[in-house]
Amino acid sequence: MPVYADNEASDVAGTVKIDPVVVQNIGVRTAIAKQESISRTIRAVGRVDFDEEGMARLHPKVEGWIEEIRVDKTGQNVAEDDILLSIYSPKLVSTQQEYLLALNNLSALSKSQFEEIRQGAEDLVKSSRERLELLDVPEHQIQELEQTRKIKKSLHIHSPVAGTVIRIGSRQGQYVTPKTELYMMVDLSQVWVYADVYEYELPWVKLGDEVEMTLASVPGKTFKGSLDYIYPYAESKTRTTKVRLVFDNRELLLRPDMFAEVSIQSDTLNNAVIVPAESVIRSGSRTQVFVVRGPGKFEPRTVKLGIESSGQVAVLEGVAAGEEVVTSAQFLVDSESKLREATAKMMDALNSSEGISEDDSRSVESHKGMVHGSEERTDHSQMQMESHADMEMNEQIDGSGHGVHDHD
């Protein structure tokens, strides 16, 4: 006799057999479980900001007046050691005079017979030159002073870094002090991006994660960076934690205060069994998928899931690579499976209830016989009583009839 799939004893409870026409009508679609790498993607909104390590604030080290300003526009790019402005300071003038006197003194005492005198003259020249350097007098002007032996009224202030001027704190003719901020510059070749990560996603984030970013102002381009720092405190209003991302900006396409969409690729899982997320049915504490076991035959499988990303989910237990899972209309299949499973359990309960022992059957029959015998005895006694009453009534009638006849 042929053995059909529906009659196999190894079937899992809830396995459904559906006619292929019905499968076509309800729109069942399937997908093959694949073995590949998957990583969890955390999406957030980011804000572009300056790289704080590339920022520089320039203050004068002496009091004086701005004689000439060469960089006078915000947003202007400057290279390292470019001349920003020239300043007249009485302190710088006196320091130049001291250096010239030290040079003249060294020239006069360089041929002295006393070593201590020559050494003292050399130390005086060295200390005077160091004082000019500490006041940020540029090297080329110190060399010019040594050659010409003429005091410069105004001295140059050079840019300490290469970058973009974002703030100017002085103008030509202004009196400045060491408290005055002349310029604020920042290097925009690298920028920081701040993003807010929710508390439930924070365990998946770690330093060094790869990050992708897109901006509405630069359509079609994806910027790649890395996660550089996770701040040790949370925001009380949004219940999020701020993270810092680093991006290369040599093309200067990223501007501070721009908003961006950030995707953090974290927790990569290699050689995982991947199925579409839509194939998973989550019902209470149980998570399951339906695996195709044959034409129109679907078997429910309880699975253990891993990370989920981009519409795909990793299956840790329950499904092997190469198996076919249902991705659409699985809720209709699940309803039919639940009905089949409930029906099977009900039939098992009925079959177990029919297995009553023969002794119980005999005792039931004996009880029925006793009841029947008691009923028969009751009926017989009643018949005897009714018969005796009828005889007495007939005798009375006969006696009364005989007396009347005699009287008549």
Side-chain angles (χ1 to χ4, degrees), residues 201-220:
E201 294 177 325
L202 194 60
W204 303 98
V205 177
K206 62 181 180 300
L207 298 180
D209 286 342
E210 295 182 358
V211 184
E212 294 183 353
M213 181 177 64
T214 57
L215 294 91
S217 60
V218 191

Side-chain angles (χ1 to χ4, degrees), residues 174-188:
Q174 182 177 345
Y175 176 76
V176 296
T177 66
K179 294 182 179 179
T180 306
E181 183 182 273
L182 300 179
Y183 293 95
M184 181 176 179
M185 292 170 290
V186 62
D187 183 8
L188 294 177

Side-chain angles (χ1 to χ4, degrees), residues 347-366:
M347 295 301 298
D348 292 341
L350 290 176
N351 292 334
S352 62
S353 64
E354 290 178 357
I356 303 176
S357 61
E358 294 181 359
D359 294 338
D360 295 337
S361 300
R362 292 192 186 95
S363 59
V364 170
E365 292 296 333
S366 175

Side-chain angles (χ1 to χ4, degrees), residues 16-32 276 278-279 281 289-299 324-337:
V16 181
K17 181 72 174 179
I18 303 177
D19 187 84
V21 177
V22 178
V23 172
Q24 181 69 23
N25 291 338
I26 65 177
V28 175
R29 290 186 290 107
T30 60
I32 303 297
E278 59 184 350
S279 65
I281 301 176
V289 299
F290 278 91
V291 179
V292 179
R293 302 295 293 170
K297 185 178 181 182
F298 308 100
E299 175 187 322
E324 191 175 2
V325 298
V326 179
T327 60
S328 68
Q330 64 266 43
F331 290 100
L332 297 176
V333 178
D334 183 53
S335 299
E336 181 68 17
S337 173

Side-chain angles (χ1 to χ4, degrees), residues 135-152:
L135 293 176
D136 289 341
V137 177
E139 180 65 26
H140 72 90
Q141 287 194 324
I142 296 177
Q143 293 178 0
E144 184 179 355
L145 180 62
E146 294 173 350
Q147 295 172 2
T148 62
R149 301 297 176 99
K150 292 182 180 180
I151 298 174
K152 291 288 186 180

